[in-house]
Amino acid sequence: MDIDFIFLFLLTFIASAFFTWYVRRILSRANIGDSPIVSEHKHKIGTPTMGGISFLFTALLLISLYYTDTVITITLFMMLAGGIFGLVDDLIGLQIKEVQKLVVNKTNKVLTLGRLNLKPGEEVRVATPKAKKEVDSLLEEGKLELIGEVPIKLEPEEFPKLLCQIFIGILLCLTGLVTTLGGFVLGIFMFPVVCIGIVGAVNTVNLIDGMDGLAAGIVCIASFACCIFCMICGKTEAIAPFLILAGLCLGFLIFNRYPATIFMGDTGSFILGVGFATAVIICDIPYFGVLSLGVPIASVVISLLHRAHIINLPVEPVHHTLNHMGMSEVKIVSLYWLGTVILCVIGILGKIYIF
C-alpha cells in the first residue's frame, strides 16, 4: 500500500490534538487530577492525568484506515497493548497508598534527615523508612516544622508490571517481523533481545514523564530524527511508524507544553515507550534508536546509581534534582530537548559522512 506520509502525519497530529482536547474535558469534569509528590510541583495538583487515553483513540482510528499495512498495524497494536497495561496502572494509582509529611528545616544549619542533608529553610518530603523514624523527634525538638502532607498514590508491584512488558515483547516476537537486528540474525535470542528493548524503552519514557512536555518532546524529536535516518538509509517503509509517533506527541504537546493542562500518565508513557521500541526493532535501526533516546537513558542510569546507593540525589530522577536545586522547569525541559537534538544530529551526520 502506498502511503502519503504528509497525510498520515497530519491525520495523526490532528486526531491526537482533538482527542487530547476531548479527553481533557472528560477528565476535568470527572475530577481526575494528578497529585505530584515533588514539592516544587505543588501548583500542578488537580491537573488532569491519564491523557494518554487520547493516544488509544488515535491508534484505533489509524488501525481502521491502515489495517492493510503490516508494519503500521503491528506497531499500533503493540502500542494499544502497552496503553492498556499503562491504563491499569493509572487506575490503580487513583487510590491513595499513604500520606507523607512535608517538612522544612527551621534551624540555621544543615540538618540530616534520612539520607538527605537539609539546608536551612529547605523543604523535603518524608519518604524513606529511616526518615520516617527520625522525623517525629526532630519535630518535637523544633528543628523541623510540618508544613503540609502529600498523598502518595498506590503503585502496582514492579514484578507484575515487568511481566506485562515482557508479554508485549513476546507478542512482538510472535508476529514474525523480527528476525535480524543491528546486522545480526537473532534466532532464539530474538525473545530476550526484543523483551529487553521493550522493557528498557517503556521504563525510560516513563521515568522522564515528570515535567511539562518533557517525555512527549523527547519522543517527538527522536521520532522525527528516526524518519530522517530511515530516509538516508533508504528504508522508506520504516518512516510511517515514526511519523505516527511524532504526530501523536506533537498533537499532545499543544496541551502538554508548559504550563501543561493535561498529563499523559502511565497510559501515555507506556504507549510511547512500546511504540518507539517496536518501530526501532521492526525497522532495524537499534543503534540510532538507542542514541536518539540517549538523554533519558542517561537519566535512568543516574537513577539506578542512586537506588544502588552509589550516588545520592536529593530528589529522583535527575530532572527533579535540577528543579530542586533552583533550575526552572522550562530550562530543564529545553536542556533535555536540546541534548536529544544534538545526539540525533550526531547520529545522522555520522551515518552520512562516516558509515
Side-chain angles (χ1 to χ4, degrees):
M1 170 181 180
D2 292 331
I3 299 175
D4 186 330
F5 291 133
I6 296 178
F7 176 78
L8 174 61
F9 172 74
L10 290 177
L11 174 64
T12 307
F13 167 70
I14 294 171
S16 177
F18 170 76
F19 286 127
T20 301
W21 168 81
Y22 177 75
V23 168
R24 184 185 63 167
R25 289 192 62 190
I26 298 299
L27 293 172
S28 295
R29 292 181 177 182
N31 198 28
I32 299 177
D34 195 29
S35 298
I37 60 176
V38 180
S39 58
E40 288 80 6
H41 292 181
K42 288 185 291 185
H43 61 283
K44 299 183 180 183
I45 293 176
T47 302
T49 188
M50 297 199 299
I53 295 173
S54 62
F55 297 163
L56 293 174
F57 290 154
T58 305
L60 289 171
L61 172 64
L62 294 175
I63 287 175
S64 69
L65 296 175
Y66 292 94
Y67 61 90
T68 58
D69 186 282
T70 304
V71 173
I72 291 179
T73 302
I74 293 300
T75 302
L76 290 171
F77 268 118
M78 293 298 104
M79 291 167 66
L80 286 174
I84 291 171
F85 288 130
L87 180 60
V88 171
D89 278 8
D90 280 335
L91 292 174
I92 292 174
L94 294 178
Q95 302 179 63
I96 301 300
K97 176 183 178 181
E98 62 175 314
V99 177
Q100 296 179 351
K101 296 176 180 177
L102 185 65
V103 297
V104 61
N105 181 4
K106 296 296 293 181
T107 69
N108 56 4
K109 57 183 180 180
V110 176
L111 187 66
T112 300
L113 177 64
R115 295 175 57 195
L116 299 178
N117 294 317
L118 304 183
K119 298 177 183 178
E122 184 176 1
E123 299 178 9
V124 70
R125 177 172 50 89
V126 184
T128 66
K130 188 174 185 297
K132 290 176 182 178
K133 291 180 180 179
E134 299 171 350
V135 67
D136 288 336
S137 60
L138 292 172
L139 286 170
E140 291 177 1
E141 295 171 9
K143 295 179 179 179
L144 292 177
E145 179 182 348
L146 180 65
I147 59 174
E149 294 182 328
V150 181
I152 305 300
K153 66 180 183 179
L154 181 65
E155 292 278 1
E157 295 181 4
E158 292 299 324
F159 185 66
K161 291 173 65 174
L162 180 63
L163 287 181
C164 292
Q165 295 163 26
I166 291 174
F167 175 73
I168 294 174
I170 293 174
L171 285 181
L172 180 55
C173 292
L174 294 177
T175 63
L177 292 180
V178 185
T179 55
T180 62
L181 192 65
F184 297 95
V185 178
L186 296 177
I188 193 64
F189 294 104
M190 166 181 60
F191 286 92
V193 170
V194 170
C195 289
I196 290 172
I198 294 291
V199 170
V202 168
N203 288 282
T204 296
V205 176
N206 185 253
L207 185 70
I208 60 167
D209 179 32
M211 287 188 171
D212 298 356
L214 183 56
I218 287 178
V219 175
C220 183
I221 294 168
S223 298
F224 271 126
C226 287
C227 290
I228 297 172
F229 188 83
C230 289
M231 284 191 288
I232 295 172
C233 296
K235 298 184 176 183
T236 55
E237 74 284 353
I239 295 174
F242 292 111
L243 278 180
I244 290 173
L245 285 166
L248 281 175
C249 293
L250 205 58
F252 188 73
L253 278 169
I254 293 176
F255 304 95
N256 183 241
R257 72 188 189 283
Y258 185 87
T261 57
I262 189 171
F263 302 139
M264 68 173 68
D266 286 349
T267 308
S269 62
F270 275 44
I271 288 176
L272 295 183
V274 169
F276 191 83
T278 299
V280 166
I281 291 169
I282 290 179
C283 302
D284 197 7
I285 55 167
Y287 308 121
F288 185 78
V290 171
L291 179 65
S292 64
L293 288 187
V295 172
I297 288 174
S299 181
V300 170
V301 172
I302 293 173
S303 288
L304 291 176
L305 292 174
H306 168 77
R307 295 178 186 183
H309 305 295
I310 297 174
I311 62 173
N312 186 30
L313 298 176
V315 188
E316 187 199 0
V318 68
H319 53 265
H320 286 318
T321 290
L322 294 174
N323 196 207
H324 182 75
M325 294 170 63
M327 184 178 292
S328 71
E329 184 171 348
V330 173
K331 287 184 178 179
I332 295 169
V333 173
S334 299
L335 183 65
Y336 273 59
W337 286 6
L338 178 60
T340 301
V341 170
I342 291 172
L343 288 178
C344 290
V345 169
I346 290 173
I348 291 171
L349 293 179
K351 180 62 179 178
I352 295 174
Y353 294 108
I354 300 177
F355 300 102

